[in-house]
Amino acid sequence: MKKWIAMVLCGALCAGMIGCDGQNASEGGNTEGKAETAPVDAEESGNVTAVGEYPIVKDPITLKIMGRKDPGAPNWDELELFKRLTEITNINFEFEMCETETFAEQKNIALVGGEYPDMIWRDDAAAITDEETYGPQGIFIDLTDLIDKYAPNIKALMEERPDVKASMTALDGKIYGLPYVFETATVQGHVGFFDSRWMENVGISKVPETTDELYEMLKAFKEQDANGNGDPNDEIPFTCVGLTTTMQDLLIPAFTGVPNGLGFNTKDGEVVYAPAMPEYKEFLTFANKLYEEGLLDPEFSTQTVQQWQAKMKSDMCGVYSGSPTGLDPETTTTEQLSLPPLTSATNDKKVLKQPINLYPGRAFITDKCEDPVAAIRLLDMFYATPENAVDGFSGLTAFAGWEGEHWEYTDETKSAYQWIDPITGFGDINKTVSVNMELPGYLSFRAMPSGSPLMENKVEQVQEMQEPYYTASYPTNARFSTEESERGNVIENDLYNQVVMMTTKFITGEESIDNFDAYVETLNQIGLPELLTIKEAALERWNEAMK
């Protein structure tokens, strides 16, 4: 569900970095305490070189950074990435690291107590809240002019991707934080996969494209020996865990024609709530039919992930609602197929929710920073593409390490890559080289990892059967005022709980689908019309920020 902006609740807070470790990434440079006066433009002193020239500063400086560290990961001063950045930029780093489970608390203590560093990196789900709270207060500085003058990579990305610009724009029209934007080949819009062997065993040659064709295939899976083990009665034609995977992303959109099956969407310029659309009733009728005829796993709403995985790996399931990479590579030798987005009697358009590829607020520069120009130029390096990398460093480097040292393309097509010994995977990258996810920056890496047939199978299927149909739903990073958030958060949580409960009852037959109108009326009583008004206002602001 949409994470609503909520004001930070501060009580019994004390100053200091409790639970955080301070380290220096390198020796030398200015490590004295920061003055309490307004930040000095580093360029005015003549220490910062011109945009495009390196090192960034002539005389060494030190930037203090608070960051969120993943469990078991090393401190950032041990990573090759920051050591090399010091060599390239002449900027030393002093890190204040917080473990994931304590980061939010320690960040709030620091910001409220006034004991915060020059920058904060890898903020969490509260990033938009933090921007809207500490930006207008002046604790996070406005980056708008700095980006325009000193950050050509960030500026180019904002021009190319209006959604990135909109996600960075606060309610007051200013920019206080920088995002993590990533495009990789290994994500998918839905997990409606199945084994081609099952389809062949029941004599079906065409992958279903409509809900009727899916029904016929699932029926064949149940009535015949689809897994080929000699027992025609042990197959589960369609399995999933709850409503939030294949139900939400594949089956519901097939009837409603909007990509977010359990949430808000835009349709014909207006905000709509999929679970309250008339077409949602047709989905319920279809899902109930699957359940009553034994085509849907009877334990779909009660089983754990572990129970579902056991079924999936035992070749009991047709459409198994998971990535093929979760199968046993030793025993899975046949091609795994992806269902395309489906159409139905109530919808003739194939739609699939665009995977989330942007996390806002992954870097802030605070008013304690005496060298904001140097800081924004450093951050701009993380948004460089490989074509304009500096000494081999770009957003891709932060993700996978240095090309030619840690990884390499397998051929000139650049469609696949492989690791270079001793690196064997991202675990090794995170131990010694970088933090491969959620550092501020831009990553566009369409190559697939070689040496993993199931991953290659998945990527090929996603590119063919899913990507052409990616459709934007209601913008995940739309901004809400404090008043809108306080009310909207309550309504949306109550709506979601009601939808999940009643949808499950409708599917299993515990509640008659004849009561659909009463169900919608209950959603209205909870506050759906009011929430739609709030969402419409936020969408208008989003569209304006996109310009």
Side-chain angles (χ1 to χ4, degrees):
M1 285 193 300
K2 170 71 184 163
K3 299 291 185 181
W4 289 80
I5 303 175
M7 293 300 292
V8 177
L9 302 176
C10 304
L13 295 179
C14 60
M17 298 306 300
I18 303 173
C20 296
D21 300 320
Q23 330 104 40
N24 293 315
S26 55
E27 299 299 327
N30 176 21
T31 57
E32 297 179 0
K34 303 297 183 189
E36 296 301 323
T37 57
V40 176
D41 191 330
E43 192 179 50
E44 294 179 358
S45 67
N47 191 40
V48 178
T49 59
V51 173
E53 293 184 9
Y54 293 86
I56 291 175
V57 290
K58 300 170 186 176
D59 298 323
I61 64 171
T62 295
L63 292 176
K64 297 181 179 180
I65 301 174
M66 180 183 187
R68 172 169 55 90
K69 185 169 76 74
D70 293 325
N75 292 325
W76 292 0
D77 63 339
E78 301 174 23
L79 297 174
E80 189 174 344
L81 176 133
F82 292 105
K83 295 176 182 178
R84 291 202 190 184
L85 282 177
T86 292
E87 296 174 0
I88 297 170
T89 65
N90 222 9
I91 297 173
N92 299 315
F93 302 99
E94 183 176 317
F95 294 112
E96 297 173 353
M97 303 307 304
C98 295
E99 299 290 341
T100 298
E101 62 269 19
T102 61
F103 175 79
E105 177 184 2
Q106 303 313 319
K107 173 192 64 181
N108 292 337
I109 289 174
L111 290 169
V112 174
E115 296 295 329
Y116 48 85
D118 301 315
M119 291 191 282
I120 297 175
W121 286 19
R122 289 190 93 217
D123 202 353
D124 51 20
I128 289 180
T129 300
D130 293 339
E131 287 184 59
E132 297 293 348
T133 302
Y134 299 110
Q137 291 181 23
I139 293 176
F140 295 162
I141 68 172
D142 180 10
L143 307 177
T144 309
D145 289 340
L146 288 171
I147 292 172
D148 185 58
K149 294 178 181 178
Y150 308 110
N153 295 320
I154 300 173
K155 184 177 180 180
L157 179 61
M158 292 169 61
E159 292 173 350
E160 179 184 344
R161 291 273 304 270
D163 62 315
V164 173
K165 174 179 175 290
S167 74
M168 297 166 62
T169 304
L171 289 173
D172 61 7
K174 298 179 181 179
I175 295 174
Y176 300 109
L178 300 179
Y180 172 54
V181 185
F182 60 100
E183 301 166 356
T184 64
T186 56
V187 297
Q188 68 279 318
H190 72 72
V191 287
F193 290 89
F194 63 98
D195 196 319
S196 61
R197 176 173 48 87
W198 279 50
M199 190 169 71
E200 294 168 2
N201 287 345
V202 298
I204 295 178
S205 58
K206 177 180 175 291
V207 174
E209 296 187 63
T210 70
T211 53
D212 286 344
E213 291 174 354
L214 174 63
Y215 169 79
E216 293 299 330
M217 184 177 78
L218 297 180
K219 188 176 179 182
F221 284 173
K222 177 177 175 56
E223 295 175 350
Q224 303 181 47
D225 183 19
N227 59 12
N229 68 352
D231 183 355
N233 300 310
D234 65 348
E235 285 83 1
I236 301 173
F238 189 109
T239 189
C240 57
V241 180
L243 304 175
T244 58
T245 56
T246 319
M247 291 281 193
Q248 171 182 259
D249 299 329
L250 182 69
L251 293 189
I252 299 174
F255 292 90
T256 62
V258 292
N260 188 350
L262 292 176
F264 290 88
N265 299 265
T266 56
K267 185 175 184 179
D268 300 327
E270 297 183 354
V271 180
V272 296
Y273 188 54
M277 296 174 66
E279 295 85 355
Y280 196 80
K281 182 179 180 179
E282 301 308 313
F283 153 71
L284 294 173
T285 301
F286 179 78
N288 173 254
K289 179 180 180 180
L290 298 185
Y291 185 86
E292 292 294 336
E293 295 186 16
L295 306 183
L296 173 63
D297 190 338
E299 298 177 322
F300 84 94
S301 65
T302 58
Q303 65 187 342
T304 65
V305 172
Q306 292 74 22
Q307 291 170 328
W308 160 78
Q309 286 177 332
K311 295 177 183 178
M312 172 181 164
K313 292 181 178 180
S314 64
D315 198 26
M316 293 174 60
C317 306
V319 177
Y320 49 79
S321 302
S323 170
T325 55
L327 299 173
D328 186 348
E330 298 295 326
T331 58
T332 306
T333 58
T334 49
E335 184 179 21
Q336 305 301 298
L337 302 177
S338 169
L339 287 166
L342 304 172
T343 59
S344 69
T346 59
N347 166 55
D348 61 1
K349 183 180 179 181
K350 293 183 177 182
V351 296
L352 183 59
K353 185 168 64 177
Q354 172 79 46
I356 295 175
N357 67 353
L358 191 155
Y359 294 127
R362 265 34 187 184
F364 304 108
I365 301 176
T366 75
D367 61 348
K368 296 291 184 73
C369 181
E370 295 180 348
D371 301 295
V373 174
I376 197 68
R377 284 198 55 198
L378 168 72
L379 286 164
D380 191 56
M381 294 176 66
F382 285 78
Y383 294 85
T385 63
E387 290 74 23
N388 58 3
V390 178
D391 287 355
F393 182 82
S394 67
L396 175 54
T397 314
F399 177 68
W402 270 261
E403 181 182 356
E405 289 185 55
H406 304 112
W407 65 274
E408 61 187 359
Y409 290 109
T410 57
D411 56 41
E412 294 181 355
T413 67
K414 295 187 177 182
S415 60
Y417 70 95
Q418 62 190 8
W419 299 107
I420 298 175
D421 189 65
I423 301 296
T424 61
F426 286 109
D428 293 331
I429 293 294
N430 287 324
K431 288 178 183 177
T432 60
V433 180
S434 181
V435 183
N436 85 300
M437 292 292 289
E438 290 193 63
L439 285 178
Y442 171 60
L443 163 70
S444 181
F445 193 41
R446 303 298 299 167
M448 70 178 78
S450 67
S452 174
L454 288 175
M455 177 62 79
E456 294 176 11
N457 182 169
K458 169 192 163 181
V459 170
E460 291 171 354
Q461 283 291 304
V462 168
Q463 290 176 346
E464 177 185 354
M465 306 296 280
Q466 298 189 21
E467 286 187 3
Y469 309 104
Y470 282 165
T471 306
S473 57
Y474 188 89
T476 305
N477 294 308
R479 304 278 176 135
F480 299 85
S481 69
T482 302
E483 293 75 16
E484 290 170 337
S485 300
E486 289 175 347
R487 177 60 180 152
N489 188 44
V490 173
I491 297 174
E492 188 158 10
N493 284 335
D494 289 347
L495 282 175
Y496 182 79
N497 291 335
Q498 180 71 12
V499 165
V500 170
M501 178 184 71
M502 291 303 297
T503 297
T504 302
K505 288 184 176 181
F506 283 135
I507 293 173
T508 59
E510 185 178 343
E511 184 79 22
S512 172
I513 297 176
D514 292 339
N515 296 328
F516 181 79
D517 289 346
Y519 148 80
V520 173
E521 180 57 31
T522 300
L523 299 185
N524 290 332
Q525 292 173 0
I526 290 173
L528 177 57
E530 181 182 356
L531 185 54
L532 285 170
T533 300
I534 292 172
K535 293 276 191 178
E536 287 278 7
L539 181 63
E540 289 182 11
R541 293 191 293 266
W542 173 269
N543 290 335
E544 184 65 27
M546 288 270 285
K547 296 179 180 177

